PDB file of all heavy atoms in Angstrom:
ATOM      1  N   ARG A  44     -25.229   2.396   8.314  1.00  0.00           N
ATOM      2  CA  ARG A  44     -26.475   3.087   8.648  1.00  0.00           C
ATOM      3  C   ARG A  44     -27.579   2.080   8.967  1.00  0.00           C
ATOM      4  O   ARG A  44     -28.761   2.388   8.765  1.00  0.00           O
ATOM      5  CB  ARG A  44     -26.895   3.969   7.464  1.00  0.00           C
ATOM      6  CG  ARG A  44     -25.868   4.972   7.012  1.00  0.00           C
ATOM      7  CD  ARG A  44     -25.471   5.958   8.045  1.00  0.00           C
ATOM      8  NE  ARG A  44     -26.600   6.796   8.509  1.00  0.00           N
ATOM      9  CZ  ARG A  44     -26.586   7.574   9.581  1.00  0.00           C
ATOM     10  NH1 ARG A  44     -25.507   7.629  10.336  1.00  0.00           N
ATOM     11  NH2 ARG A  44     -27.643   8.253   9.905  1.00  0.00           N
ATOM     12  N   VAL A  45     -27.201   0.887   9.431  1.00  0.00           N
ATOM     13  CA  VAL A  45     -28.170  -0.172   9.700  1.00  0.00           C
ATOM     14  C   VAL A  45     -29.295   0.297  10.618  1.00  0.00           C
ATOM     15  O   VAL A  45     -30.474   0.177  10.291  1.00  0.00           O
ATOM     16  CB  VAL A  45     -27.478  -1.435  10.275  1.00  0.00           C
ATOM     17  CG1 VAL A  45     -28.516  -2.448  10.807  1.00  0.00           C
ATOM     18  CG2 VAL A  45     -26.593  -2.094   9.218  1.00  0.00           C
ATOM     19  N   VAL A  46     -28.924   0.811  11.766  1.00  0.00           N
ATOM     20  CA  VAL A  46     -29.954   1.206  12.758  1.00  0.00           C
ATOM     21  C   VAL A  46     -30.645   2.500  12.399  1.00  0.00           C
ATOM     22  O   VAL A  46     -31.883   2.524  12.280  1.00  0.00           O
ATOM     23  CB  VAL A  46     -29.356   1.220  14.180  1.00  0.00           C
ATOM     24  CG1 VAL A  46     -30.369   1.805  15.186  1.00  0.00           C
ATOM     25  CG2 VAL A  46     -28.921  -0.170  14.592  1.00  0.00           C
ATOM     26  N   PRO A  47     -29.915   3.580  12.109  1.00  0.00           N
ATOM     27  CA  PRO A  47     -30.614   4.831  11.801  1.00  0.00           C
ATOM     28  C   PRO A  47     -31.480   4.762  10.544  1.00  0.00           C
ATOM     29  O   PRO A  47     -32.531   5.421  10.484  1.00  0.00           O
ATOM     30  CB  PRO A  47     -29.507   5.856  11.644  1.00  0.00           C
ATOM     31  CG  PRO A  47     -28.239   5.101  11.575  1.00  0.00           C
ATOM     32  CD  PRO A  47     -28.459   3.817  12.210  1.00  0.00           C
ATOM     33  N   ASP A  48     -31.050   3.961   9.530  1.00  0.00           N
ATOM     34  CA  ASP A  48     -31.848   3.876   8.313  1.00  0.00           C
ATOM     35  C   ASP A  48     -32.788   2.680   8.271  1.00  0.00           C
ATOM     36  O   ASP A  48     -33.478   2.439   7.273  1.00  0.00           O
ATOM     37  CB  ASP A  48     -30.940   3.844   7.076  1.00  0.00           C
ATOM     38  CG  ASP A  48     -30.229   5.158   6.823  1.00  0.00           C
ATOM     39  OD1 ASP A  48     -30.478   6.103   7.609  1.00  0.00           O
ATOM     40  OD2 ASP A  48     -29.459   5.263   5.869  1.00  0.00           O
ATOM     41  N   ALA A  49     -32.813   1.897   9.348  1.00  0.00           N
ATOM     42  CA  ALA A  49     -33.629   0.657   9.379  1.00  0.00           C
ATOM     43  C   ALA A  49     -33.383  -0.169   8.109  1.00  0.00           C
ATOM     44  O   ALA A  49     -34.287  -0.603   7.457  1.00  0.00           O
ATOM     45  CB  ALA A  49     -35.129   1.008   9.536  1.00  0.00           C
ATOM     46  N   ASP A  50     -32.103  -0.365   7.815  1.00  0.00           N
ATOM     47  CA  ASP A  50     -31.721  -1.156   6.636  1.00  0.00           C
ATOM     48  C   ASP A  50     -30.614  -2.122   7.003  1.00  0.00           C
ATOM     49  O   ASP A  50     -29.484  -1.773   7.191  1.00  0.00           O
ATOM     50  CB  ASP A  50     -31.224  -0.171   5.543  1.00  0.00           C
ATOM     51  CG  ASP A  50     -30.841  -0.925   4.266  1.00  0.00           C
ATOM     52  OD1 ASP A  50     -30.792  -2.163   4.245  1.00  0.00           O
ATOM     53  OD2 ASP A  50     -30.557  -0.219   3.277  1.00  0.00           O
ATOM     54  N   PRO A  51     -31.003  -3.417   7.142  1.00  0.00           N
ATOM     55  CA  PRO A  51     -30.019  -4.424   7.579  1.00  0.00           C
ATOM     56  C   PRO A  51     -28.846  -4.595   6.605  1.00  0.00           C
ATOM     57  O   PRO A  51     -27.843  -5.189   6.964  1.00  0.00           O
ATOM     58  CB  PRO A  51     -30.829  -5.702   7.705  1.00  0.00           C
ATOM     59  CG  PRO A  51     -32.031  -5.477   6.821  1.00  0.00           C
ATOM     60  CD  PRO A  51     -32.321  -4.028   6.889  1.00  0.00           C
ATOM     61  N   THR A  52     -29.007  -4.107   5.372  1.00  0.00           N
ATOM     62  CA  THR A  52     -27.916  -4.260   4.406  1.00  0.00           C
ATOM     63  C   THR A  52     -27.046  -3.033   4.311  1.00  0.00           C
ATOM     64  O   THR A  52     -26.079  -3.005   3.522  1.00  0.00           O
ATOM     65  CB  THR A  52     -28.481  -4.523   2.969  1.00  0.00           C
ATOM     66  OG1 THR A  52     -29.087  -3.308   2.452  1.00  0.00           O
ATOM     67  CG2 THR A  52     -29.538  -5.639   3.005  1.00  0.00           C
ATOM     68  N   ALA A  53     -27.323  -2.021   5.127  1.00  0.00           N
ATOM     69  CA  ALA A  53     -26.608  -0.730   5.004  1.00  0.00           C
ATOM     70  C   ALA A  53     -25.253  -0.745   5.739  1.00  0.00           C
ATOM     71  O   ALA A  53     -24.960   0.140   6.537  1.00  0.00           O
ATOM     72  CB  ALA A  53     -27.475   0.432   5.446  1.00  0.00           C
ATOM     73  N   HIS A  54     -24.480  -1.759   5.476  1.00  0.00           N
ATOM     74  CA  HIS A  54     -23.088  -1.782   5.939  1.00  0.00           C
ATOM     75  C   HIS A  54     -22.313  -0.749   5.137  1.00  0.00           C
ATOM     76  O   HIS A  54     -22.652  -0.407   3.994  1.00  0.00           O
ATOM     77  CB  HIS A  54     -22.486  -3.144   5.768  1.00  0.00           C
ATOM     78  CG  HIS A  54     -22.977  -4.179   6.737  1.00  0.00           C
ATOM     79  ND1 HIS A  54     -22.335  -5.363   6.998  1.00  0.00           N
ATOM     80  CD2 HIS A  54     -24.074  -4.200   7.517  1.00  0.00           C
ATOM     81  CE1 HIS A  54     -23.004  -6.040   7.893  1.00  0.00           C
ATOM     82  NE2 HIS A  54     -24.077  -5.360   8.230  1.00  0.00           N
ATOM     83  N   ALA A  55     -21.221  -0.230   5.724  1.00  0.00           N
ATOM     84  CA  ALA A  55     -20.449   0.817   5.067  1.00  0.00           C
ATOM     85  C   ALA A  55     -20.052   0.463   3.652  1.00  0.00           C
ATOM     86  O   ALA A  55     -20.140   1.275   2.719  1.00  0.00           O
ATOM     87  CB  ALA A  55     -19.194   1.126   5.930  1.00  0.00           C
ATOM     88  N   GLU A  56     -19.585  -0.771   3.477  1.00  0.00           N
ATOM     89  CA  GLU A  56     -19.074  -1.191   2.156  1.00  0.00           C
ATOM     90  C   GLU A  56     -20.212  -1.231   1.144  1.00  0.00           C
ATOM     91  O   GLU A  56     -20.039  -0.818   0.001  1.00  0.00           O
ATOM     92  CB  GLU A  56     -18.434  -2.583   2.278  1.00  0.00           C
ATOM     93  CG  GLU A  56     -17.262  -2.651   3.216  1.00  0.00           C
ATOM     94  CD  GLU A  56     -17.642  -3.088   4.614  1.00  0.00           C
ATOM     95  OE1 GLU A  56     -18.750  -2.666   5.087  1.00  0.00           O
ATOM     96  OE2 GLU A  56     -16.885  -3.833   5.242  1.00  0.00           O
ATOM     97  N   VAL A  57     -21.402  -1.742   1.548  1.00  0.00           N
ATOM     98  CA  VAL A  57     -22.529  -1.810   0.644  1.00  0.00           C
ATOM     99  C   VAL A  57     -22.999  -0.420   0.295  1.00  0.00           C
ATOM    100  O   VAL A  57     -23.276  -0.092  -0.877  1.00  0.00           O
ATOM    101  CB  VAL A  57     -23.693  -2.651   1.241  1.00  0.00           C
ATOM    102  CG1 VAL A  57     -24.995  -2.396   0.524  1.00  0.00           C
ATOM    103  CG2 VAL A  57     -23.325  -4.136   1.239  1.00  0.00           C
TER     104      VAL A  57
END
Side-chain angles (χ1 to χ4, degrees):
Chain A
R44 305 299 299 167
V45 169
V46 173
D48 289 0
D50 181 351
T52 73
H54 286 198
E56 300 93 323
V57 165

